[in-house]
Amino acid sequence: MTDPRIEAAAKELKRLFSESDAATESMWVACAETVLAAADAAAWRPIATAPTDSSEVLVWDGDSVFMAGRMGEYWWSDVEGIIDNPTHWQPLPAPPASIDALGGVDG
């Protein structure tokens, strides 16, 4: 299965580039913004598909986002305790790149 963020990004690229033959700098910026927004939105998955082990993930309860892990039938956050009725989840993001990987620029 392809990551849903990749599928959403590919769909947006196809939509953007089917509208124009000539890519300008502003089009590349608009493309990047649109694709990243689509990828971010697609990253949230229904809570029924969340891992059943104690892996920490991000959960959304309709109001806030928490880093949480499953403990039996409950979702637990060190900050909030038990999280009632989360509706969506997504994997934790990758850690930041090292300064060396960013070409010596912190960012």
XYZ file of all heavy atoms in Angstrom:
803
model
N 0.838 -1.181 0.000
C 0.000 0.000 0.000
C 0.876 1.235 0.000
O 1.815 1.354 0.783
C -0.899 -0.013 1.226
C -1.794 1.200 1.312
S -2.989 1.039 2.640
C -2.424 2.336 3.703
N 0.575 2.163 -0.864
C 1.311 3.415 -0.926
C 0.860 4.320 0.207
O -0.310 4.362 0.562
C 1.037 4.119 -2.279
O 1.363 3.232 -3.325
C 1.833 5.386 -2.408
N 1.795 5.066 0.765
C 1.484 6.046 1.801
C 0.407 6.993 1.270
O 0.546 7.546 0.175
C 2.769 6.810 2.140
C 2.610 7.817 3.262
O 1.518 8.397 3.416
O 3.597 8.041 3.963
N -0.693 7.206 2.006
C -1.767 8.068 1.510
C -1.300 9.497 1.242
O -1.859 10.194 0.400
C -2.829 8.026 2.610
C -2.205 7.384 3.776
C -1.015 6.625 3.304
N -0.239 9.944 1.930
C 0.279 11.286 1.665
C 0.901 11.352 0.270
O 0.752 12.338 -0.427
C 1.300 11.683 2.727
C 0.674 11.772 4.115
C 1.659 12.140 5.207
N 2.914 11.458 5.047
C 4.123 12.048 5.144
N 4.221 13.304 5.432
N 5.216 11.347 4.986
N 1.590 10.287 -0.137
C 2.188 10.252 -1.464
C 1.101 10.238 -2.538
O 1.188 10.942 -3.545
C 3.112 9.020 -1.619
C 4.213 9.024 -0.556
C 3.679 8.933 -3.024
C 5.131 10.214 -0.601
N 0.048 9.449 -2.307
C -1.056 9.404 -3.265
C -1.721 10.772 -3.397
O -2.032 11.219 -4.500
C -2.074 8.354 -2.843
C -1.548 6.944 -2.962
C -2.505 5.898 -2.416
O -3.641 6.247 -2.017
O -2.119 4.718 -2.396
N -1.940 11.468 -2.272
C -2.556 12.791 -2.305
C -1.659 13.797 -3.020
O -2.132 14.624 -3.802
C -2.860 13.266 -0.882
N -0.353 13.716 -2.769
C 0.588 14.627 -3.421
C 0.605 14.392 -4.931
O 0.581 15.341 -5.718
C 1.988 14.442 -2.831
N 0.627 13.133 -5.342
C 0.634 12.813 -6.774
C -0.638 13.323 -7.452
O -0.597 13.866 -8.565
C 0.781 11.305 -6.968
N -1.768 13.187 -6.776
C -3.042 13.659 -7.332
C -3.014 15.174 -7.526
O -3.452 15.692 -8.548
C -4.189 13.261 -6.393
C -5.550 13.693 -6.863
C -6.629 13.249 -5.888
C -7.991 13.752 -6.294
N -9.022 13.363 -5.334
N -2.486 15.897 -6.542
C -2.409 17.351 -6.645
C -1.435 17.786 -7.739
O -1.690 18.730 -8.469
C -2.015 17.971 -5.313
C -3.145 17.999 -4.311
C -4.363 18.767 -4.818
O -4.215 19.917 -5.303
O -5.469 18.220 -4.736
N -0.297 17.098 -7.873
C 0.652 17.419 -8.942
C -0.003 17.253 -10.309
O 0.135 18.102 -11.192
C 1.886 16.531 -8.842
C 2.902 16.935 -7.790
C 3.937 15.833 -7.612
C 3.566 18.245 -8.158
N -0.716 16.145 -10.471
C -1.388 15.891 -11.745
C -2.396 16.999 -12.042
O -2.463 17.503 -13.154
C -2.089 14.533 -11.697
C -2.764 14.161 -12.994
C -3.396 12.775 -12.907
C -4.091 12.413 -14.195
N -4.761 11.127 -14.125
N -3.166 17.399 -11.009
C -4.161 18.459 -11.198
C -3.495 19.774 -11.561
O -3.900 20.452 -12.504
C -5.002 18.632 -9.935
C -6.130 19.660 -10.092
C -6.837 19.924 -8.778
N -5.996 20.576 -7.804
C -5.718 21.891 -7.797
N -6.190 22.673 -8.742
N -4.969 22.413 -6.851
N -2.450 20.153 -10.849
C -1.795 21.429 -11.097
C -1.146 21.496 -12.479
O -1.248 22.500 -13.174
C -0.740 21.701 -10.025
C -1.277 22.137 -8.666
C -0.163 22.145 -7.647
C -1.928 23.503 -8.751
N -0.461 20.430 -12.869
C 0.269 20.478 -14.121
C -0.598 20.216 -15.336
O -0.188 20.493 -16.454
C 1.481 19.552 -14.079
C 2.576 20.146 -13.259
C 2.829 19.675 -11.984
C 3.326 21.208 -13.727
C 3.824 20.242 -11.205
C 4.317 21.780 -12.973
C 4.571 21.302 -11.702
N -1.805 19.705 -15.148
C -2.695 19.533 -16.299
C -3.308 20.861 -16.707
O -3.830 20.991 -17.809
C -3.805 18.523 -15.976
O -4.678 19.043 -15.000
N -3.194 21.879 -15.841
C -3.777 23.189 -16.130
C -2.833 24.113 -16.884
O -3.253 25.167 -17.363
C -4.210 23.861 -14.821
C -5.317 23.112 -14.111
C -5.651 23.698 -12.754
O -5.035 24.706 -12.375
O -6.527 23.138 -12.088
N -1.557 23.779 -16.993
C -0.609 24.686 -17.630
C 0.556 23.923 -18.231
O 1.000 22.918 -17.696
C -0.088 25.681 -16.583
O 0.946 26.456 -17.132
N 1.061 24.433 -19.337
C 2.234 23.835 -19.979
C 3.531 24.425 -19.449
O 4.551 23.745 -19.413
C 2.186 24.036 -21.495
C 1.031 23.289 -22.139
O 0.488 22.371 -21.494
O 0.677 23.635 -23.269
N 3.524 25.693 -19.098
C 4.750 26.387 -18.699
C 4.798 26.544 -17.184
O 3.938 27.178 -16.592
C 4.809 27.762 -19.363
N 5.816 25.950 -16.571
C 5.969 26.052 -15.117
C 6.796 27.298 -14.792
O 7.905 27.459 -15.287
C 6.653 24.812 -14.575
N 6.248 28.168 -13.959
C 6.960 29.366 -13.521
C 7.360 29.169 -12.064
O 6.916 28.229 -11.399
C 6.058 30.605 -13.623
O 4.949 30.424 -12.726
C 5.547 30.801 -15.042
N 8.197 30.073 -11.554
C 8.615 29.990 -10.143
C 7.400 30.036 -9.224
O 7.303 29.258 -8.288
C 9.575 31.142 -9.813
C 10.143 31.072 -8.413
C 11.047 29.860 -8.175
O 11.661 29.357 -9.146
O 11.124 29.415 -7.023
N 6.450 30.903 -9.508
C 5.260 30.992 -8.654
C 4.430 29.711 -8.739
O 3.793 29.307 -7.767
C 4.412 32.218 -9.001
O 3.931 32.127 -10.322
N 4.465 29.060 -9.886
C 3.739 27.796 -10.006
C 4.397 26.712 -9.165
O 3.711 25.912 -8.534
C 3.659 27.353 -11.462
C 2.801 26.130 -11.661
S 2.577 25.798 -13.403
C 1.530 24.369 -13.287
N 5.736 26.683 -9.138
C 6.431 25.704 -8.300
C 6.114 25.927 -6.829
O 5.918 24.981 -6.074
C 7.940 25.754 -8.528
C 8.344 25.149 -9.828
C 8.892 25.800 -10.894
C 8.211 23.788 -10.227
N 9.109 24.922 -11.922
C 8.707 23.678 -11.546
C 7.721 22.643 -9.611
C 8.738 22.478 -12.240
C 7.746 21.440 -10.305
C 8.246 21.365 -11.600
N 6.057 27.206 -6.403
C 5.727 27.510 -5.009
C 4.296 27.077 -4.711
O 4.021 26.422 -3.695
C 5.923 29.012 -4.707
C 5.356 29.373 -3.341
C 7.401 29.372 -4.799
N 3.369 27.410 -5.597
C 1.972 27.004 -5.413
C 1.855 25.484 -5.393
O 1.099 24.919 -4.595
C 1.099 27.596 -6.519
N 2.617 24.848 -6.251
C 2.618 23.381 -6.302
C 3.088 22.805 -4.981
O 2.454 21.921 -4.408
C 3.505 22.919 -7.444
S 3.637 21.135 -7.584
N 4.211 23.311 -4.469
C 4.750 22.804 -3.205
C 3.761 23.014 -2.070
O 3.526 22.107 -1.263
C 6.077 23.491 -2.894
N 3.153 24.188 -1.979
C 2.184 24.476 -0.920
C 0.975 23.547 -1.006
O 0.540 22.978 -0.004
C 1.717 25.932 -0.995
C 2.770 26.923 -0.625
C 2.362 28.361 -0.892
O 1.370 28.602 -1.616
O 3.063 29.245 -0.379
N 0.454 23.371 -2.211
C -0.731 22.545 -2.406
C -0.443 21.080 -2.108
O -1.224 20.394 -1.444
C -1.253 22.704 -3.848
O -1.527 24.078 -4.075
C -2.508 21.895 -4.077
N 0.691 20.604 -2.605
C 1.048 19.201 -2.402
C 1.302 18.910 -0.929
O 0.839 17.898 -0.388
C 2.260 18.820 -3.284
C 2.850 17.500 -2.877
C 1.845 18.803 -4.742
N 2.028 19.802 -0.239
C 2.283 19.585 1.187
C 0.989 19.643 2.001
O 0.807 18.853 2.932
C 3.296 20.599 1.709
C 4.725 20.376 1.214
C 5.619 21.526 1.636
C 5.274 19.057 1.724
N 0.081 20.547 1.663
C -1.205 20.608 2.376
C -2.011 19.332 2.155
O -2.611 18.792 3.093
C -2.001 21.831 1.920
N -2.004 18.834 0.915
C -2.725 17.592 0.627
C -2.098 16.423 1.375
O -2.801 15.563 1.920
C -2.731 17.316 -0.878
N -0.763 16.388 1.413
C -0.074 15.309 2.120
C -0.360 15.365 3.615
O -0.612 14.334 4.250
C 1.430 15.387 1.857
N -0.336 16.559 4.203
C -0.624 16.692 5.631
C -2.044 16.238 5.957
O -2.277 15.543 6.948
C -0.422 18.138 6.093
C 1.045 18.533 6.168
O 1.915 17.641 6.139
O 1.311 19.747 6.251
N -3.000 16.627 5.130
C -4.390 16.226 5.368
C -4.565 14.718 5.235
O -5.306 14.099 6.006
C -5.318 16.956 4.402
N -3.863 14.110 4.277
C -3.992 12.671 4.049
C -3.276 11.838 5.103
O -3.517 10.642 5.213
C -3.466 12.316 2.666
N -2.401 12.468 5.874
C -1.644 11.724 6.887
C -2.550 11.214 8.011
O -2.241 10.209 8.649
C -0.537 12.595 7.473
N -3.671 11.896 8.261
C -4.588 11.478 9.328
C -5.408 10.282 8.860
O -6.037 10.318 7.819
C -5.494 12.634 9.738
C -4.718 13.670 10.459
C -4.277 14.864 9.963
C -4.252 13.599 11.806
N -3.560 15.528 10.915
C -3.529 14.782 12.066
C -4.356 12.652 12.820
C -2.929 15.042 13.295
C -3.763 12.913 14.037
C -3.060 14.101 14.269
N -5.380 9.223 9.664
C -6.052 7.969 9.327
C -7.129 7.675 10.373
O -7.001 8.075 11.529
C -5.033 6.840 9.305
C -3.909 7.128 8.315
C -2.734 6.242 8.515
N -1.613 6.715 7.701
C -0.460 6.123 7.631
N -0.234 5.020 8.321
N 0.494 6.615 6.884
N -8.169 6.940 10.003
C -9.214 6.595 10.976
C -8.615 5.842 12.168
O -7.730 4.999 12.003
C -10.162 5.695 10.189
C -9.899 6.010 8.755
C -8.450 6.403 8.671
N -9.120 6.129 13.348
C -8.572 5.541 14.582
C -8.678 4.016 14.567
O -7.853 3.330 15.182
C -9.229 6.151 15.837
C -8.358 5.922 17.066
C -10.636 5.647 16.024
C -7.067 6.689 17.090
N -9.623 3.471 13.840
C -9.776 2.012 13.772
C -8.567 1.333 13.133
O -8.348 0.144 13.325
C -11.040 1.647 13.005
N -7.763 2.095 12.390
C -6.589 1.519 11.733
C -5.302 1.747 12.529
O -4.219 1.381 12.056
C -6.413 2.106 10.319
O -6.124 3.502 10.410
C -7.660 1.881 9.467
N -5.404 2.301 13.716
C -4.221 2.604 14.533
C -3.545 1.331 15.028
O -4.190 0.285 15.160
C -4.626 3.459 15.735
N -2.248 1.411 15.303
C -1.552 0.239 15.844
C -2.203 -0.231 17.141
O -2.729 0.580 17.911
C -0.138 0.744 16.116
C -0.004 2.029 15.390
C -1.379 2.570 15.188
N -2.165 -1.521 17.372
C -2.774 -2.059 18.589
C -1.742 -2.337 19.680
O -2.106 -2.746 20.773
C -3.538 -3.359 18.275
O -2.644 -4.282 17.651
C -4.714 -3.081 17.360
N -0.472 -2.115 19.375
C 0.546 -2.272 20.418
C 0.696 -0.933 21.154
O -0.129 -0.046 21.007
C 1.872 -2.753 19.822
C 2.454 -1.777 18.807
O 1.950 -0.638 18.684
O 3.408 -2.154 18.115
N 1.733 -0.761 21.911
C 1.901 0.463 22.697
C 2.705 1.539 21.957
O 3.178 2.482 22.567
C 2.571 0.140 24.034
O 3.852 -0.432 23.800
N 2.827 1.408 20.625
C 3.557 2.402 19.830
C 2.969 3.791 20.054
O 1.750 3.958 20.078
C 3.451 2.090 18.342
O 3.967 0.832 18.045
N 3.846 4.781 20.184
C 3.362 6.148 20.302
C 3.077 6.707 18.918
O 3.856 6.518 17.978
C 4.365 7.013 21.044
C 4.427 6.685 22.521
C 5.307 7.644 23.297
O 6.396 8.001 22.806
O 4.894 8.029 24.397
N 1.958 7.373 18.797
C 1.519 8.000 17.553
C 0.897 9.346 17.920
O 0.724 9.668 19.096
C 0.492 7.114 16.808
C 1.089 5.779 16.379
C -0.760 6.892 17.644
N 0.540 10.124 16.918
C -0.251 11.325 17.150
C -1.717 10.951 17.038
O -2.100 10.216 16.123
C 0.085 12.410 16.123
C 1.499 12.957 16.161
C 1.702 13.976 15.041
C 1.822 13.569 17.510
N -2.535 11.423 17.970
C -3.978 11.182 17.894
C -4.711 12.522 17.937
O -4.238 13.488 18.534
C -4.497 10.249 19.019
C -3.913 8.855 18.881
C -4.236 10.809 20.399
N -5.857 12.551 17.292
C -6.719 13.730 17.219
C -8.044 13.360 17.852
O -8.638 12.338 17.515
C -6.911 14.122 15.755
C -7.959 15.156 15.490
C -9.183 14.936 14.933
C -7.882 16.547 15.743
N -9.872 16.116 14.836
C -9.090 17.125 15.322
C -6.911 17.372 16.298
C -9.353 18.486 15.428
C -7.176 18.731 16.398
C -8.380 19.271 15.968
N -8.511 14.194 18.791
C -9.780 13.898 19.457
C -10.910 14.823 19.009
O -11.936 14.927 19.666
C -9.616 13.952 20.982
C -9.350 15.353 21.511
O -9.255 16.312 20.705
O -9.238 15.499 22.738
N -10.708 15.497 17.886
C -11.718 16.431 17.390
C -11.459 17.847 17.852
O -12.081 18.785 17.364
N -10.523 18.012 18.794
C -10.226 19.335 19.328
C -8.727 19.600 19.405
O -8.283 20.704 19.156
C -10.853 19.468 20.724
C -10.777 20.871 21.274
O -11.005 21.824 20.502
O -10.493 21.018 22.473
N -7.955 18.579 19.760
C -6.522 18.742 19.985
C -5.752 17.528 19.471
O -6.305 16.452 19.320
C -6.233 18.902 21.484
O -6.891 20.030 21.999
N -4.450 17.742 19.273
C -3.543 16.673 18.868
C -2.667 16.312 20.055
O -2.161 17.193 20.754
C -2.647 17.122 17.691
C -1.603 16.066 17.366
C -3.485 17.448 16.471
N -2.493 15.015 20.296
C -1.668 14.527 21.399
C -0.752 13.422 20.901
O -1.135 12.648 20.029
C -2.535 13.927 22.513
C -3.569 14.854 23.058
C -4.876 14.781 22.616
C -3.230 15.804 24.011
C -5.840 15.632 23.124
C -4.184 16.659 24.521
C -5.496 16.581 24.075
N 0.437 13.340 21.478
C 1.264 12.165 21.275
C 0.777 11.163 22.307
O 0.704 11.473 23.501
C 2.745 12.473 21.483
C 3.623 11.282 21.142
S 5.380 11.653 21.156
C 5.698 11.616 22.900
N 0.397 9.988 21.854
C -0.201 9.014 22.757
C 0.170 7.598 22.356
O 0.588 7.337 21.232
C -1.728 9.165 22.754
N -0.005 6.702 23.291
C 0.170 5.277 23.056
C -1.053 4.551 23.562
O -1.775 5.042 24.428
N -1.286 3.372 23.027
C -2.454 2.591 23.441
C -2.073 1.729 24.629
O -1.043 1.081 24.649
C -2.912 1.717 22.287
C -4.256 1.062 22.556
C -4.721 0.301 21.364
N -5.202 1.216 20.357
C -6.018 0.863 19.371
N -6.428 -0.367 19.252
N -6.415 1.732 18.494
N -2.930 1.749 25.627
C -2.779 0.884 26.797
C -4.074 0.105 26.920
O -5.068 0.623 27.431
C -2.506 1.711 28.056
C -1.178 2.445 28.009
S -0.847 3.384 29.511
C -0.598 2.050 30.677
N -4.077 -1.113 26.382
C -5.320 -1.884 26.361
C -6.317 -1.225 25.432
O -6.022 -0.957 24.281
N -7.488 -0.903 25.962
C -8.511 -0.258 25.131
C -8.448 1.265 25.208
O -9.219 1.955 24.563
C -9.896 -0.747 25.539
C -10.262 -0.392 26.974
C -11.586 -0.990 27.407
O -11.595 -2.193 27.718
O -12.586 -0.252 27.435
N -7.534 1.817 26.005
C -7.442 3.263 26.208
C -6.252 3.864 25.474
O -5.251 3.200 25.229
C -7.297 3.594 27.695
C -8.446 3.114 28.522
C -8.332 1.969 29.296
C -9.660 3.792 28.504
C -9.395 1.511 30.051
C -10.736 3.343 29.258
C -10.596 2.203 30.029
O -11.653 1.760 30.770
N -6.361 5.151 25.147
C -5.235 5.929 24.624
C -4.725 6.783 25.773
O -5.497 7.413 26.484
C -5.676 6.806 23.456
C -5.874 6.007 22.227
C -7.035 5.470 21.770
C -4.862 5.613 21.314
N -6.808 4.767 20.619
C -5.483 4.843 20.315
C -3.493 5.835 21.228
C -4.774 4.305 19.248
C -2.799 5.303 20.165
C -3.435 4.543 19.196
N -3.399 6.801 25.954
C -2.788 7.466 27.093
C -1.743 8.467 26.629
O -0.907 8.156 25.787
C -2.139 6.435 28.006
C -1.441 7.040 29.166
C -0.114 7.317 29.265
C -2.017 7.470 30.383
N 0.162 7.892 30.473
C -0.996 8.002 31.186
C -3.316 7.466 30.885
C -1.218 8.510 32.451
C -3.526 7.972 32.150
C -2.510 8.479 32.916
N -1.796 9.682 27.189
C -0.810 10.722 26.918
C -0.170 11.127 28.240
O -0.876 11.272 29.248
C -1.502 11.935 26.291
O -0.655 13.057 26.331
N 1.146 11.301 28.254
C 1.820 11.745 29.477
C 1.319 13.106 29.924
O 1.351 13.432 31.102
C 3.336 11.808 29.269
C 3.955 10.427 29.188
O 3.313 9.455 29.643
O 5.077 10.316 28.669
N 0.847 13.913 28.990
C 0.378 15.259 29.312
C -1.082 15.260 29.762
O -1.455 15.897 30.736
C 0.549 16.204 28.100
C -0.043 17.568 28.364
C 2.018 16.309 27.732
N -1.931 14.519 29.054
C -3.376 14.572 29.285
C -3.951 13.379 30.033
O -5.106 13.399 30.417
C -4.108 14.687 27.942
C -3.876 16.003 27.238
C -4.447 17.174 28.005
O -5.580 17.092 28.499
O -3.733 18.183 28.106
N -3.190 12.323 30.211
C -3.743 11.101 30.787
C -4.544 10.367 29.728
O -4.141 10.297 28.571
N -5.701 9.849 30.093
C -6.538 9.114 29.134
C -7.164 10.100 28.151
O -7.697 11.135 28.548
C -7.626 8.310 29.866
C -6.972 7.183 30.678
C -8.645 7.738 28.876
C -7.932 6.395 31.521
N -7.086 9.771 26.879
C -7.696 10.602 25.841
C -8.999 9.943 25.422
O -9.021 8.802 24.960
C -6.742 10.759 24.640
C -5.461 11.428 25.111
C -7.412 11.551 23.524
C -4.358 11.433 24.089
N -10.084 10.651 25.622
C -11.404 10.122 25.301
C -11.718 10.261 23.823
O -11.569 11.335 23.246
C -12.486 10.855 26.103
C -12.394 10.578 27.588
O -12.066 9.438 27.946
O -12.627 11.509 28.376
N -12.129 9.187 23.226
C -12.684 9.161 21.875
C -11.838 9.808 20.786
O -12.335 10.648 20.039
C -14.085 9.797 21.890
C -14.998 9.110 22.861
O -15.030 7.888 22.926
N -15.734 9.883 23.628
N -10.565 9.421 20.655
C -9.832 9.952 19.508
C -10.456 9.426 18.220
O -10.976 8.315 18.180
C -8.414 9.420 19.709
C -8.565 8.217 20.569
C -9.772 8.469 21.430
N -10.444 10.260 17.189
C -11.074 9.883 15.928
C -10.077 9.544 14.830
O -10.409 8.820 13.903
C -11.987 11.006 15.409
O -11.188 12.184 15.196
C -13.102 11.307 16.405
N -8.853 10.095 14.919
C -7.850 9.887 13.879
C -6.471 9.741 14.499
O -6.247 10.148 15.643
C -7.851 11.068 12.895
C -9.074 11.131 12.070
N -10.259 11.659 12.546
C -9.321 10.715 10.806
C -11.178 11.559 11.603
N -10.636 10.991 10.537
N -5.565 9.185 13.735
C -4.188 9.021 14.184
C -3.250 9.190 12.993
O -3.673 9.134 11.835
C -3.982 7.637 14.804
C -3.878 6.546 13.775
C -4.912 5.963 13.099
C -2.679 5.970 13.269
N -4.424 5.034 12.212
C -3.046 5.021 12.295
C -1.324 6.149 13.543
C -2.116 4.264 11.594
C -0.402 5.383 12.854
C -0.795 4.462 11.902
N -1.978 9.413 13.288
C -0.935 9.365 12.274
C 0.383 9.010 12.936
O 0.562 9.249 14.135
C -0.818 10.665 11.479
C -0.322 11.862 12.246
C -0.077 13.052 11.333
O 0.892 13.060 10.591
N -0.960 14.033 11.395
N 1.304 8.429 12.167
C 2.604 8.097 12.749
C 3.334 9.362 13.199
O 3.068 10.457 12.692
C 3.361 7.441 11.596
C 2.334 7.080 10.583
C 1.202 8.031 10.768
N 4.245 9.206 14.145
C 5.069 10.344 14.539
C 5.931 10.761 13.353
O 6.357 9.921 12.551
C 5.974 9.964 15.714
C 5.268 9.645 17.030
C 6.306 9.229 18.082
C 4.472 10.833 17.526
N 6.205 12.057 13.215
C 7.068 12.488 12.111
C 8.503 12.032 12.339
O 8.893 11.692 13.460
C 6.961 14.014 12.166
C 6.574 14.328 13.569
C 5.749 13.159 14.051
N 9.271 12.046 11.275
C 10.694 11.727 11.387
C 11.370 12.808 12.229
O 10.928 13.960 12.241
C 11.327 11.679 10.002
N 12.432 12.457 12.943
C 13.144 13.480 13.712
C 13.799 14.493 12.772
O 13.976 14.221 11.577
C 14.188 12.674 14.486
C 14.311 11.382 13.782
C 13.019 11.140 13.073
N 14.166 15.649 13.295
C 14.790 16.663 12.433
C 16.098 16.150 11.836
O 16.782 15.320 12.436
C 15.072 17.832 13.381
C 14.414 17.507 14.667
C 14.045 16.069 14.672
N 16.423 16.676 10.674
C 17.693 16.345 10.048
C 18.826 16.977 10.861
O 18.628 18.002 11.516
C 17.725 16.876 8.615
N 19.972 16.362 10.802
C 21.132 16.934 11.495
C 21.588 18.191 10.752
O 21.284 18.386 9.577
C 22.273 15.927 11.547
O 22.788 15.726 10.246
N 22.329 19.031 11.426
C 22.855 20.241 10.788
C 23.731 19.863 9.598
O 23.685 20.498 8.561
C 23.619 21.105 11.814
C 22.604 21.707 12.802
C 24.403 22.198 11.121
C 23.227 22.516 13.911
N 24.492 18.769 9.719
C 25.319 18.322 8.604
C 24.452 17.956 7.386
O 24.783 18.286 6.254
C 26.178 17.127 9.002
C 27.284 17.504 9.971
O 27.654 18.703 10.021
O 27.769 16.609 10.679
N 23.338 17.266 7.639
C 22.449 16.863 6.540
C 21.788 18.071 5.877
O 21.393 18.017 4.717
C 21.384 15.890 7.047
N 21.661 19.156 6.625
C 21.055 20.393 6.086
C 22.107 21.310 5.458
O 21.827 22.462 5.181
C 20.315 21.131 7.193
C 19.090 20.425 7.755
C 18.576 21.132 8.986
C 18.000 20.333 6.698
N 23.321 20.829 5.289
C 24.366 21.641 4.673
C 24.980 22.640 5.631
O 25.455 23.691 5.212
N 24.958 22.349 6.930
C 25.561 23.243 7.909
C 24.651 24.365 8.373
O 25.065 25.252 9.095
N 23.380 24.342 7.950
C 22.430 25.390 8.333
C 21.380 24.766 9.244
O 20.750 23.790 8.871
C 21.757 25.999 7.083
C 20.734 27.039 7.483
C 22.795 26.567 6.152
N 21.192 25.345 10.423
C 20.171 24.837 11.340
C 18.805 25.225 10.798
O 18.542 26.368 10.486
C 20.391 25.434 12.733
C 19.524 24.785 13.783
O 18.846 23.791 13.465
O 19.540 25.265 14.926
N 17.914 24.221 10.673
C 16.680 24.652 10.125
C 15.533 23.819 10.176
O 14.510 24.059 9.764
